Amino acid sequence: MDKLKKISSEDLLQELIDRKVLTQIPVGLYKEFELKRKYKNRDKAMNFEGVFLLHNAN
């Protein structure tokens, strides 16, 4: 059985971006972005360091 080497989350995200599976969406102080919860705590604010868009495999 092949064993996967350990990889950091940042390296994994970068690999998925390089393979065009994910696209990073710029967010932060200078880029307005709002994401709302679907069910619980809909009025509670959510903060993120980064947001990624997953591409459809088709």
Side-chain angles (χ1 to χ4, degrees):
M1 178 193 294
D2 291 333
K3 197 172 190 180
L4 294 175
K5 68 176 185 171
K6 291 185 179 183
I7 185 169
S8 72
S9 297
E10 289 180 12
D11 289 343
L12 176 59
L13 285 173
Q14 189 58 54
E15 182 66 26
L16 292 172
I17 291 168
D18 293 344
R19 292 183 186 204
K20 308 249 186 280
V21 174
L22 292 179
T23 299
Q24 187 169 16
I25 300 170
V27 298
L29 296 175
Y30 304 105
K31 192 77 170 176
E32 193 173 318
F33 183 83
E34 183 176 308
L35 185 63
K36 293 186 176 182
R37 299 170 192 263
K38 190 169 183 179
Y39 300 109
K40 289 186 176 182
N41 303 322
R42 294 184 75 176
D43 297 330
K44 190 173 181 183
M46 298 169 65
N47 296 318
F48 299 93
E49 290 180 12
V51 177
F52 297 89
L53 176 64
L54 178 64
H55 295 275
N56 190 346
N58 294 332

Short mmCIF file of all heavy atoms in Angstrom, two decimals:
data_model
loop_
_atom_site.label_atom_id
_atom_site.label_comp_id
_atom_site.label_asym_id
_atom_site.label_seq_id
_atom_site.Cartn_x
_atom_site.Cartn_y
_atom_site.Cartn_z
N MET A 1 0.84 -1.17 0.00
CA MET A 1 0.00 0.00 0.00
C MET A 1 0.90 1.25 0.00
O MET A 1 1.85 1.34 0.74
CB MET A 1 -0.89 0.00 1.25
CG MET A 1 -1.75 1.23 1.31
SD MET A 1 -2.58 1.54 2.88
CE MET A 1 -3.68 0.19 3.02
N ASP A 2 0.56 2.21 -0.86
CA ASP A 2 1.31 3.47 -0.90
C ASP A 2 0.94 4.32 0.29
O ASP A 2 -0.22 4.35 0.71
CB ASP A 2 1.00 4.24 -2.18
CG ASP A 2 1.58 3.55 -3.41
OD1 ASP A 2 2.58 2.83 -3.24
OD2 ASP A 2 1.02 3.72 -4.49
N LYS A 3 1.92 5.02 0.81
CA LYS A 3 1.68 5.89 1.95
C LYS A 3 1.88 7.34 1.51
O LYS A 3 2.86 7.66 0.85
CB LYS A 3 2.67 5.53 3.06
CG LYS A 3 2.30 6.06 4.40
CD LYS A 3 3.24 5.48 5.44
CE LYS A 3 2.73 5.79 6.81
NZ LYS A 3 3.61 5.24 7.84
N LEU A 4 0.91 8.18 1.85
CA LEU A 4 1.02 9.59 1.49
C LEU A 4 1.98 10.29 2.44
O LEU A 4 1.99 10.03 3.64
CB LEU A 4 -0.35 10.27 1.60
CG LEU A 4 -1.41 9.81 0.60
CD1 LEU A 4 -2.74 10.48 0.91
CD2 LEU A 4 -0.99 10.11 -0.81
N LYS A 5 2.78 11.17 1.88
CA LYS A 5 3.66 11.96 2.74
C LYS A 5 2.85 13.04 3.44
O LYS A 5 1.79 13.43 2.96
CB LYS A 5 4.80 12.58 1.94
CG LYS A 5 4.36 13.65 0.96
CD LYS A 5 5.54 14.27 0.27
CE LYS A 5 5.05 15.41 -0.61
NZ LYS A 5 6.12 16.19 -1.15
N LYS A 6 3.35 13.50 4.56
CA LYS A 6 2.66 14.56 5.28
C LYS A 6 2.78 15.85 4.49
O LYS A 6 3.82 16.15 3.91
CB LYS A 6 3.27 14.74 6.67
CG LYS A 6 2.98 13.58 7.58
CD LYS A 6 3.49 13.84 8.97
CE LYS A 6 3.16 12.66 9.85
NZ LYS A 6 3.57 12.87 11.22
N ILE A 7 1.69 16.60 4.46
CA ILE A 7 1.67 17.85 3.71
C ILE A 7 0.90 18.88 4.53
O ILE A 7 -0.07 18.55 5.21
CB ILE A 7 1.01 17.64 2.32
CG1 ILE A 7 1.09 18.91 1.47
CG2 ILE A 7 -0.41 17.17 2.44
CD1 ILE A 7 0.72 18.70 0.02
N SER A 8 1.34 20.11 4.49
CA SER A 8 0.67 21.16 5.25
C SER A 8 -0.61 21.58 4.53
O SER A 8 -0.77 21.38 3.33
CB SER A 8 1.59 22.37 5.42
OG SER A 8 1.72 23.06 4.20
N SER A 9 -1.52 22.16 5.28
CA SER A 9 -2.78 22.65 4.69
C SER A 9 -2.50 23.70 3.63
O SER A 9 -3.14 23.71 2.57
CB SER A 9 -3.67 23.25 5.78
OG SER A 9 -4.02 22.27 6.71
N GLU A 10 -1.54 24.57 3.90
CA GLU A 10 -1.20 25.62 2.92
C GLU A 10 -0.68 25.02 1.63
O GLU A 10 -1.04 25.46 0.54
CB GLU A 10 -0.18 26.59 3.51
CG GLU A 10 -0.75 27.47 4.59
CD GLU A 10 0.30 28.42 5.16
OE1 GLU A 10 1.40 28.54 4.58
OE2 GLU A 10 0.01 29.02 6.20
N ASP A 11 0.18 24.00 1.75
CA ASP A 11 0.72 23.35 0.55
C ASP A 11 -0.39 22.64 -0.23
O ASP A 11 -0.41 22.65 -1.46
CB ASP A 11 1.81 22.35 0.92
CG ASP A 11 3.08 23.02 1.39
OD1 ASP A 11 3.26 24.24 1.14
OD2 ASP A 11 3.91 22.33 2.02
N LEU A 12 -1.32 22.00 0.49
CA LEU A 12 -2.43 21.33 -0.17
C LEU A 12 -3.32 22.32 -0.91
O LEU A 12 -3.68 22.11 -2.07
CB LEU A 12 -3.25 20.54 0.85
CG LEU A 12 -4.50 19.85 0.31
CD1 LEU A 12 -4.15 18.86 -0.79
CD2 LEU A 12 -5.25 19.16 1.43
N LEU A 13 -3.66 23.43 -0.25
CA LEU A 13 -4.47 24.46 -0.91
C LEU A 13 -3.77 25.00 -2.15
O LEU A 13 -4.38 25.18 -3.20
CB LEU A 13 -4.79 25.60 0.06
CG LEU A 13 -5.85 25.29 1.10
CD1 LEU A 13 -5.95 26.44 2.09
CD2 LEU A 13 -7.19 25.02 0.46
N GLN A 14 -2.46 25.25 -2.05
CA GLN A 14 -1.71 25.77 -3.19
C GLN A 14 -1.69 24.77 -4.33
O GLN A 14 -1.82 25.14 -5.50
CB GLN A 14 -0.29 26.15 -2.78
CG GLN A 14 0.47 26.88 -3.87
CD GLN A 14 -0.24 28.16 -4.31
OE1 GLN A 14 -0.55 29.01 -3.49
NE2 GLN A 14 -0.51 28.29 -5.60
N GLU A 15 -1.55 23.49 -4.02
CA GLU A 15 -1.57 22.45 -5.05
C GLU A 15 -2.93 22.41 -5.76
O GLU A 15 -3.00 22.30 -6.98
CB GLU A 15 -1.26 21.08 -4.43
CG GLU A 15 -1.21 19.95 -5.43
CD GLU A 15 -0.07 20.04 -6.42
OE1 GLU A 15 0.98 20.66 -6.10
OE2 GLU A 15 -0.22 19.50 -7.53
N LEU A 16 -4.02 22.54 -5.00
CA LEU A 16 -5.35 22.54 -5.61
C LEU A 16 -5.58 23.79 -6.46
O LEU A 16 -6.23 23.73 -7.50
CB LEU A 16 -6.42 22.41 -4.53
CG LEU A 16 -6.45 21.06 -3.82
CD1 LEU A 16 -7.42 21.10 -2.64
CD2 LEU A 16 -6.79 19.94 -4.78
N ILE A 17 -5.01 24.91 -6.05
CA ILE A 17 -5.08 26.14 -6.86
C ILE A 17 -4.29 25.96 -8.14
O ILE A 17 -4.76 26.29 -9.23
CB ILE A 17 -4.58 27.35 -6.05
CG1 ILE A 17 -5.56 27.68 -4.93
CG2 ILE A 17 -4.36 28.55 -6.96
CD1 ILE A 17 -5.03 28.68 -3.92
N ASP A 18 -3.07 25.40 -8.03
CA ASP A 18 -2.23 25.17 -9.21
C ASP A 18 -2.89 24.22 -10.20
O ASP A 18 -2.73 24.38 -11.41
CB ASP A 18 -0.87 24.61 -8.80
CG ASP A 18 -0.03 25.60 -8.02
OD1 ASP A 18 -0.35 26.81 -8.04
OD2 ASP A 18 0.95 25.17 -7.38
N ARG A 19 -3.65 23.25 -9.70
CA ARG A 19 -4.34 22.29 -10.58
C ARG A 19 -5.68 22.82 -11.08
O ARG A 19 -6.42 22.11 -11.74
CB ARG A 19 -4.56 20.98 -9.83
CG ARG A 19 -3.30 20.23 -9.54
CD ARG A 19 -3.61 18.93 -8.87
NE ARG A 19 -2.40 18.25 -8.44
CZ ARG A 19 -2.32 16.95 -8.25
NH1 ARG A 19 -3.37 16.19 -8.44
NH2 ARG A 19 -1.19 16.42 -7.86
N LYS A 20 -5.99 24.05 -10.75
CA LYS A 20 -7.23 24.72 -11.18
C LYS A 20 -8.48 24.04 -10.63
O LYS A 20 -9.54 24.04 -11.26
CB LYS A 20 -7.30 24.83 -12.70
CG LYS A 20 -6.08 25.44 -13.34
CD LYS A 20 -6.36 26.78 -13.91
CE LYS A 20 -5.20 27.34 -14.69
NZ LYS A 20 -4.16 27.93 -13.92
N VAL A 21 -8.36 23.42 -9.44
CA VAL A 21 -9.51 22.83 -8.75
C VAL A 21 -10.16 23.89 -7.88
O VAL A 21 -11.37 23.93 -7.74
CB VAL A 21 -9.06 21.62 -7.90
CG1 VAL A 21 -10.21 21.07 -7.07
CG2 VAL A 21 -8.48 20.53 -8.79
N LEU A 22 -9.35 24.77 -7.31
CA LEU A 22 -9.82 25.86 -6.46
C LEU A 22 -9.35 27.19 -7.04
O LEU A 22 -8.29 27.27 -7.65
CB LEU A 22 -9.24 25.76 -5.04
CG LEU A 22 -9.69 24.61 -4.16
CD1 LEU A 22 -8.97 24.69 -2.82
CD2 LEU A 22 -11.18 24.63 -3.93
N THR A 23 -10.14 28.22 -6.80
CA THR A 23 -9.74 29.59 -7.11
C THR A 23 -9.90 30.39 -5.83
O THR A 23 -10.96 30.33 -5.19
CB THR A 23 -10.64 30.21 -8.20
OG1 THR A 23 -10.50 29.43 -9.38
CG2 THR A 23 -10.25 31.65 -8.48
N GLN A 24 -8.85 31.10 -5.43
CA GLN A 24 -8.95 31.92 -4.23
C GLN A 24 -9.64 33.23 -4.57
O GLN A 24 -9.33 33.88 -5.57
CB GLN A 24 -7.58 32.20 -3.64
CG GLN A 24 -7.65 32.90 -2.31
CD GLN A 24 -6.32 32.94 -1.59
OE1 GLN A 24 -5.28 32.72 -2.19
NE2 GLN A 24 -6.35 33.24 -0.32
N ILE A 25 -10.62 33.60 -3.75
CA ILE A 25 -11.35 34.85 -3.92
C ILE A 25 -10.76 35.86 -2.96
O ILE A 25 -10.70 35.60 -1.76
CB ILE A 25 -12.85 34.65 -3.62
CG1 ILE A 25 -13.44 33.61 -4.57
CG2 ILE A 25 -13.61 35.97 -3.74
CD1 ILE A 25 -14.84 33.19 -4.20
N PRO A 26 -10.28 37.01 -3.44
CA PRO A 26 -9.68 38.00 -2.55
C PRO A 26 -10.71 38.58 -1.58
O PRO A 26 -11.76 39.04 -2.01
CB PRO A 26 -9.14 39.08 -3.48
CG PRO A 26 -9.48 38.68 -4.87
CD PRO A 26 -10.28 37.43 -4.83
N VAL A 27 -10.42 38.52 -0.30
CA VAL A 27 -11.26 39.11 0.73
C VAL A 27 -10.37 39.83 1.73
O VAL A 27 -9.18 39.60 1.78
CB VAL A 27 -12.12 38.05 1.48
CG1 VAL A 27 -13.07 37.36 0.55
CG2 VAL A 27 -11.26 37.05 2.20
N GLY A 28 -10.94 40.70 2.50
CA GLY A 28 -10.17 41.42 3.51
C GLY A 28 -10.71 42.81 3.70
O GLY A 28 -11.82 43.13 3.31
N LEU A 29 -9.88 43.64 4.30
CA LEU A 29 -10.30 44.99 4.63
C LEU A 29 -10.68 45.82 3.41
O LEU A 29 -11.56 46.67 3.48
CB LEU A 29 -9.18 45.71 5.38
CG LEU A 29 -8.81 45.12 6.74
CD1 LEU A 29 -7.61 45.85 7.31
CD2 LEU A 29 -9.98 45.21 7.70
N TYR A 30 -10.03 45.57 2.27
CA TYR A 30 -10.26 46.41 1.10
C TYR A 30 -11.18 45.77 0.07
O TYR A 30 -11.47 46.36 -0.96
CB TYR A 30 -8.92 46.75 0.44
CG TYR A 30 -7.98 47.41 1.41
CD1 TYR A 30 -6.91 46.73 1.95
CD2 TYR A 30 -8.21 48.72 1.84
CE1 TYR A 30 -6.07 47.34 2.86
CE2 TYR A 30 -7.37 49.33 2.76
CZ TYR A 30 -6.31 48.63 3.27
OH TYR A 30 -5.48 49.22 4.17
N LYS A 31 -11.62 44.56 0.35
CA LYS A 31 -12.49 43.85 -0.59
C LYS A 31 -13.74 43.43 0.15
O LYS A 31 -13.70 42.65 1.08
CB LYS A 31 -11.76 42.62 -1.14
CG LYS A 31 -12.42 41.98 -2.32
CD LYS A 31 -12.17 42.78 -3.57
CE LYS A 31 -12.63 42.01 -4.77
NZ LYS A 31 -12.53 42.74 -5.98
N GLU A 32 -14.89 43.97 -0.24
CA GLU A 32 -16.14 43.69 0.45
C GLU A 32 -16.60 42.27 0.13
O GLU A 32 -16.61 41.84 -1.01
CB GLU A 32 -17.20 44.69 -0.01
CG GLU A 32 -18.42 44.70 0.86
CD GLU A 32 -19.36 45.82 0.47
OE1 GLU A 32 -18.89 46.94 0.22
OE2 GLU A 32 -20.56 45.55 0.42
N PHE A 33 -16.95 41.53 1.17
CA PHE A 33 -17.41 40.16 1.00
C PHE A 33 -18.34 39.81 2.14
O PHE A 33 -18.03 40.08 3.30
CB PHE A 33 -16.23 39.19 0.99
CG PHE A 33 -16.64 37.77 0.74
CD1 PHE A 33 -16.84 37.31 -0.55
CD2 PHE A 33 -16.83 36.90 1.78
CE1 PHE A 33 -17.23 36.01 -0.79
CE2 PHE A 33 -17.21 35.59 1.56
CZ PHE A 33 -17.40 35.15 0.27
N GLU A 34 -19.49 39.25 1.83
CA GLU A 34 -20.43 38.88 2.87
C GLU A 34 -20.86 37.44 2.65
O GLU A 34 -21.24 37.05 1.55
CB GLU A 34 -21.65 39.79 2.84
CG GLU A 34 -22.64 39.51 3.94
CD GLU A 34 -23.78 40.50 3.93
OE1 GLU A 34 -23.51 41.72 3.92
OE2 GLU A 34 -24.92 40.06 3.91
N LEU A 35 -20.76 36.64 3.69
CA LEU A 35 -21.18 35.25 3.64
C LEU A 35 -22.10 35.02 4.83
O LEU A 35 -21.75 35.35 5.95
CB LEU A 35 -19.96 34.33 3.75
CG LEU A 35 -20.20 32.83 3.58
CD1 LEU A 35 -20.75 32.52 2.20
CD2 LEU A 35 -18.91 32.07 3.81
N LYS A 36 -23.30 34.51 4.55
CA LYS A 36 -24.28 34.32 5.62
C LYS A 36 -24.47 32.84 5.88
O LYS A 36 -24.42 32.02 4.96
CB LYS A 36 -25.62 34.95 5.24
CG LYS A 36 -25.55 36.45 5.15
CD LYS A 36 -26.92 37.02 4.91
CE LYS A 36 -26.84 38.54 4.91
NZ LYS A 36 -28.13 39.15 4.73
N ARG A 37 -24.72 32.52 7.15
CA ARG A 37 -25.02 31.14 7.52
C ARG A 37 -26.37 30.75 6.94
O ARG A 37 -27.27 31.57 6.83
CB ARG A 37 -25.05 31.01 9.04
CG ARG A 37 -23.73 31.34 9.69
CD ARG A 37 -23.89 31.43 11.20
NE ARG A 37 -22.73 32.01 11.81
CZ ARG A 37 -21.75 31.30 12.37
NH1 ARG A 37 -21.83 29.99 12.39
NH2 ARG A 37 -20.71 31.89 12.90
N LYS A 38 -26.52 29.49 6.60
CA LYS A 38 -27.76 29.04 5.97
C LYS A 38 -28.84 28.73 6.99
O LYS A 38 -30.01 28.98 6.76
CB LYS A 38 -27.48 27.81 5.12
CG LYS A 38 -28.65 27.41 4.25
CD LYS A 38 -28.24 26.38 3.24
CE LYS A 38 -29.40 26.02 2.33
NZ LYS A 38 -29.05 25.06 1.34
N TYR A 39 -28.46 28.16 8.14
CA TYR A 39 -29.47 27.71 9.10
C TYR A 39 -29.33 28.40 10.46
O TYR A 39 -30.05 29.33 10.74
CB TYR A 39 -29.40 26.19 9.26
CG TYR A 39 -29.66 25.46 7.97
CD1 TYR A 39 -28.64 24.80 7.30
CD2 TYR A 39 -30.92 25.45 7.39
CE1 TYR A 39 -28.88 24.15 6.10
CE2 TYR A 39 -31.17 24.80 6.19
CZ TYR A 39 -30.14 24.14 5.55
OH TYR A 39 -30.37 23.51 4.37
N LYS A 40 -28.41 27.95 11.29
CA LYS A 40 -28.28 28.47 12.65
C LYS A 40 -27.52 29.79 12.68
O LYS A 40 -26.62 30.00 11.85
CB LYS A 40 -27.53 27.47 13.54
CG LYS A 40 -28.34 26.24 13.86
CD LYS A 40 -27.57 25.39 14.85
CE LYS A 40 -28.38 24.20 15.28
NZ LYS A 40 -27.65 23.39 16.26
N ASN A 41 -27.85 30.63 13.63
CA ASN A 41 -27.13 31.90 13.87
C ASN A 41 -26.97 32.73 12.60
O ASN A 41 -25.89 33.24 12.32
CB ASN A 41 -25.75 31.62 14.49
CG ASN A 41 -25.85 30.83 15.76
OD1 ASN A 41 -26.75 31.03 16.56
ND2 ASN A 41 -24.91 29.92 15.97
N ARG A 42 -28.04 32.90 11.87
CA ARG A 42 -27.98 33.61 10.59
C ARG A 42 -27.54 35.06 10.74
O ARG A 42 -26.99 35.64 9.80
CB ARG A 42 -29.33 33.55 9.89
CG ARG A 42 -29.68 32.12 9.48
CD ARG A 42 -30.94 32.08 8.74
NE ARG A 42 -30.66 32.59 7.40
CZ ARG A 42 -31.54 32.64 6.44
NH1 ARG A 42 -32.76 32.23 6.65
NH2 ARG A 42 -31.23 33.10 5.26
N ASP A 43 -27.77 35.67 11.90
CA ASP A 43 -27.41 37.07 12.11
C ASP A 43 -26.00 37.24 12.67
O ASP A 43 -25.52 38.37 12.81
CB ASP A 43 -28.41 37.74 13.04
CG ASP A 43 -29.82 37.75 12.44
OD1 ASP A 43 -29.93 37.80 11.20
OD2 ASP A 43 -30.80 37.70 13.20
N LYS A 44 -25.33 36.16 13.01
CA LYS A 44 -24.00 36.23 13.60
C LYS A 44 -22.95 36.42 12.49
O LYS A 44 -22.97 35.71 11.48
CB LYS A 44 -23.71 34.94 14.37
CG LYS A 44 -22.47 34.99 15.19
CD LYS A 44 -22.35 33.74 16.04
CE LYS A 44 -21.11 33.81 16.89
NZ LYS A 44 -20.94 32.58 17.67
N ALA A 45 -22.07 37.38 12.70
CA ALA A 45 -21.05 37.68 11.68
C ALA A 45 -20.06 36.53 11.54
O ALA A 45 -19.79 35.80 12.49
CB ALA A 45 -20.30 38.95 12.07
N MET A 46 -19.51 36.38 10.33
CA MET A 46 -18.52 35.35 10.05
C MET A 46 -17.28 36.03 9.48
O MET A 46 -17.39 36.86 8.59
CB MET A 46 -19.07 34.34 9.04
CG MET A 46 -20.30 33.60 9.55
SD MET A 46 -21.15 32.64 8.28
CE MET A 46 -19.96 31.42 7.86
N ASN A 47 -16.11 35.66 10.00
CA ASN A 47 -14.85 36.23 9.52
C ASN A 47 -13.97 35.14 8.93
O ASN A 47 -13.89 34.04 9.48
CB ASN A 47 -14.10 36.91 10.66
CG ASN A 47 -14.86 38.09 11.20
OD1 ASN A 47 -15.42 38.86 10.44
ND2 ASN A 47 -14.89 38.22 12.51
N PHE A 48 -13.33 35.44 7.81
CA PHE A 48 -12.49 34.48 7.12
C PHE A 48 -11.18 35.13 6.70
O PHE A 48 -11.16 36.29 6.33
CB PHE A 48 -13.19 33.93 5.87
CG PHE A 48 -14.46 33.22 6.18
CD1 PHE A 48 -15.67 33.88 6.17
CD2 PHE A 48 -14.44 31.88 6.51
CE1 PHE A 48 -16.84 33.22 6.45
CE2 PHE A 48 -15.61 31.21 6.80
CZ PHE A 48 -16.82 31.88 6.77
N GLU A 49 -10.11 34.36 6.72
CA GLU A 49 -8.83 34.83 6.19
C GLU A 49 -8.78 34.64 4.68
O GLU A 49 -8.08 35.34 3.98
CB GLU A 49 -7.68 34.08 6.85
CG GLU A 49 -7.50 34.43 8.30
CD GLU A 49 -6.35 33.68 8.92
OE1 GLU A 49 -5.55 33.07 8.17
OE2 GLU A 49 -6.24 33.70 10.14
N GLY A 50 -9.53 33.68 4.18
CA GLY A 50 -9.55 33.41 2.75
C GLY A 50 -10.80 32.65 2.38
O GLY A 50 -11.38 31.95 3.19
N VAL A 51 -11.22 32.81 1.15
CA VAL A 51 -12.39 32.11 0.62
C VAL A 51 -11.97 31.49 -0.70
O VAL A 51 -11.28 32.12 -1.50
CB VAL A 51 -13.57 33.08 0.42
CG1 VAL A 51 -14.75 32.36 -0.21
CG2 VAL A 51 -13.99 33.71 1.75
N PHE A 52 -12.39 30.24 -0.94
CA PHE A 52 -12.01 29.53 -2.14
C PHE A 52 -13.26 29.06 -2.88
O PHE A 52 -14.23 28.64 -2.27
CB PHE A 52 -11.14 28.31 -1.81
CG PHE A 52 -9.84 28.69 -1.17
CD1 PHE A 52 -9.74 28.81 0.19
CD2 PHE A 52 -8.73 28.91 -1.96
CE1 PHE A 52 -8.54 29.17 0.79
CE2 PHE A 52 -7.52 29.27 -1.37
CZ PHE A 52 -7.44 29.40 -0.01
N LEU A 53 -13.21 29.11 -4.19
CA LEU A 53 -14.28 28.65 -5.04
C LEU A 53 -13.86 27.30 -5.61
O LEU A 53 -12.81 27.18 -6.24
CB LEU A 53 -14.51 29.64 -6.18
CG LEU A 53 -15.54 29.27 -7.22
CD1 LEU A 53 -16.93 29.18 -6.59
CD2 LEU A 53 -15.54 30.29 -8.34
N LEU A 54 -14.68 26.27 -5.39
CA LEU A 54 -14.41 24.92 -5.89
C LEU A 54 -15.01 24.78 -7.28
O LEU A 54 -16.19 25.05 -7.48
CB LEU A 54 -15.01 23.88 -4.94
CG LEU A 54 -14.87 22.43 -5.33
CD1 LEU A 54 -13.41 22.02 -5.36
CD2 LEU A 54 -15.63 21.55 -4.36
N HIS A 55 -14.20 24.36 -8.23
CA HIS A 55 -14.66 24.20 -9.61
C HIS A 55 -15.35 22.86 -9.79
O HIS A 55 -14.97 21.86 -9.20
CB HIS A 55 -13.48 24.28 -10.59
CG HIS A 55 -12.84 25.62 -10.59
ND1 HIS A 55 -13.30 26.65 -11.35
CD2 HIS A 55 -11.78 26.10 -9.90
CE1 HIS A 55 -12.56 27.72 -11.15
NE2 HIS A 55 -11.64 27.41 -10.26
N ASN A 56 -16.34 22.82 -10.63
CA ASN A 56 -17.05 21.60 -10.97
C ASN A 56 -16.13 20.70 -11.77
O ASN A 56 -15.41 21.15 -12.66
CB ASN A 56 -18.30 21.96 -11.79
CG ASN A 56 -19.22 20.79 -11.98
OD1 ASN A 56 -18.86 19.65 -11.75
ND2 ASN A 56 -20.43 21.08 -12.41
N ALA A 57 -16.16 19.40 -11.49
CA ALA A 57 -15.27 18.46 -12.15
C ALA A 57 -15.68 18.18 -13.60
O ALA A 57 -14.91 17.64 -14.37
CB ALA A 57 -15.24 17.14 -11.37
N ASN A 58 -16.88 18.55 -13.99
CA ASN A 58 -17.35 18.26 -15.35
C ASN A 58 -16.76 19.17 -16.37
O ASN A 58 -16.64 20.26 -16.40
CB ASN A 58 -18.88 18.32 -15.41
CG ASN A 58 -19.49 17.22 -14.58
OD1 ASN A 58 -18.88 16.18 -14.39
ND2 ASN A 58 -20.68 17.46 -14.05
#
